[in-house]
Amino acid sequence: TTADRFQVMVHVDEATLALRAGRGPWSAIVEADVEGSDTRAHLREAWLSYAFGPRLVLAAGQIRQAMNSELATPEIVRGTPGDGFASHLTGRVAPGVAATSEWNCGAVRYEASATFGHGFGVEGAPRDSRRLVGRAVFRPLQNVLPEGTARAVGNGLWTGFAVSRDDDFDDPVRLETPLEASVFRTDDLRGGGGRAWLWEVGWTNERLRVSLERTEGEAQDVPTARGPRDFDQLTAWSVHAAVSLTDTRLGYDGGRWTREPAARHGPGGDWELAARYSNADIDRGLLDAGLAPPGRGSQETRTFTVALGWRPAPEVRLSLAFVSTIADEPLAAFEGGRRDRSLLLRLEVAF
């Protein structure tokens, strides 16, 4: 239901063709956007990397610049559809270079990347500012506690921190619900710079995975009718949870969530229950300055998603999701209302 009116829509949400290759320390990927509406030049990712060993991997090309685990994880591995608000505020894909390094058997992971503009955000809108990102992920208790239950519990803990710096802010602020309804929308702010930080913590015991993330950002020297202004409240936080109802193991590795199917796929398939609560609190000044048109932005928006996923085969997922969104201001996406509740039936195939 949308704005108290029953509505049924069927459409292709995403279609990609990924070509992967590797030989020795070299690896490459080209992922084309076959559906063709969300990316520049119909290209999601395209990069070449060289591994000098686990302690240093260099990559160059069209790269995914993720500051959080959700965006670093392929969507078919996640339990809930779409992206949380933190991914919208911090994530992008753009031409650039990246370096990753792991130490102590993955207990410490560092990532550094630089993108050069002409990219796009998770919702497909252009991102033209040049950005530097540094990210560190830690498994602070990995193999530290005594063997047994204590070590298993400690090995499941991770935490991460990321910072970014833009040399300008020639980007919009865009937020969408998992059903792609716009809840905040500006044009390019054309600011003089920007910065953001993100912190996350999580834990998994193979059957259960939970995590919390929070980001705060700032757009600096944005032109307004009253002169340049800083908008320092680009804030979002999310809570994620997933439960494996069969023998699939939920884990964490390489700065992203992982999902390892059972050695033998049961006759009833694999089942998983996942949920996400995401909250965005955007600087009221963007609305007061007219940078977000009436009906196109809400200062605070909350969305809750719960999804039941079934995999009859490792490459196929059928999921039923319920998405509830509450906004502070009336929105055109909700036909002038502040609330939206929807059911999503989604089929994903990877082969």
Side-chain angles (χ1 to χ4, degrees), residues 54-55 102-109 139 142-143 252-254:
R55 293 189 175 180
E102 288 193 358
W103 297 77
N104 192 19
C105 299
V108 180
R109 178 182 175 88
R139 309 288 294 269
Q142 181 167 294
N143 297 330
Y252 190 85
D253 184 58

Side-chain angles (χ1 to χ4, degrees), residues 49-319:
S49 71
Y50 183 86
F52 295 88
R55 293 189 175 180
L56 181 61
V57 179
L58 299 179
Q62 179 105 322
I63 61 174
R64 180 181 297 268
Q65 204 170 30
M67 293 177 62
N68 60 339
S69 300
E70 180 190 55
L71 191 60
T73 304
E75 189 165 347
I76 198 168
V77 177
R78 309 177 201 168
T80 51
D83 301 277
F85 292 140
S87 296
H88 280 272
L89 289 176
T90 63
R92 66 181 58 196
V93 175
V97 294
T100 60
S101 178
E102 288 193 358
W103 297 77
N104 192 19
C105 299
V108 180
R109 178 182 175 88
Y110 299 107
E111 302 175 4
S113 60
T115 52
F116 312 127
H118 197 69
F120 56 91
V122 298
E123 78 298 318
R127 298 292 191 272
D128 290 319
S129 62
R130 294 179 290 272
R131 168 170 285 191
L132 296 175
V133 170
R135 183 183 180 218
V137 179
F138 304 97
R139 309 288 294 269
L141 298 179
Q142 181 167 294
N143 297 330
V144 172
L145 300 179
E147 293 188 7
T149 302
R151 175 169 290 190
V153 172
N155 286 354
L157 178 69
W158 81 86
T159 186
F161 186 78
V163 294
S164 70
R165 179 68 185 181
D166 299 346
D167 69 338
D168 54 28
F169 204 95
D170 192 18
D171 299 324
V173 176
R174 301 281 177 90
L175 297 175
E176 291 184 353
T177 72
L179 294 175
E180 301 179 0
S182 177
V183 295
F184 203 98
R185 180 186 182 96
T186 71
D187 293 327
D188 289 350
L189 295 182
R190 306 190 183 281
R195 59 187 178 183
W197 64 264
L198 185 142
W199 171 81
E200 61 181 342
V201 62
W203 179 79
T204 180
N205 71 347
E206 296 188 349
R207 286 297 183 92
L208 171 68
R209 183 182 63 233
V210 293
S211 64
L212 167 69
E213 63 184 9
R214 178 179 174 85
T215 183
E216 293 186 10
E218 179 181 19
Q220 302 168 327
D221 297 327
V222 176
T224 71
R226 296 185 177 182
R229 288 186 56 183
D230 294 345
F231 298 99
D232 59 1
Q233 188 179 328
L234 304 179
T235 305
W237 61 276
S238 301
V239 177
H240 307 265
V243 180
S244 173
L245 303 179
T246 48
D247 293 329
T248 296
R249 291 185 289 181
L250 306 177
Y252 190 85
D253 184 58
R256 65 185 66 186
W257 304 330
T258 62
R259 184 184 182 281
E260 184 179 343
R264 297 184 61 184
H265 201 72
D270 290 338
W271 293 84
E272 180 181 334
L273 183 65
R276 174 181 60 219
Y277 175 83
S278 192
N279 179 289
D281 192 359
I282 305 301
D283 201 307
R284 182 74 195 182
L286 290 170
L287 297 170
D288 296 339
L291 297 174
R296 302 293 179 183
S298 173
Q299 178 183 356
E300 187 170 5
T301 306
R302 298 156 289 274
T303 182
F304 173 73
T305 305
V306 59
L308 177 65
W310 173 54
R311 297 177 187 258
E315 303 82 9
V316 180
R317 178 170 68 177
L318 182 66
S319 61

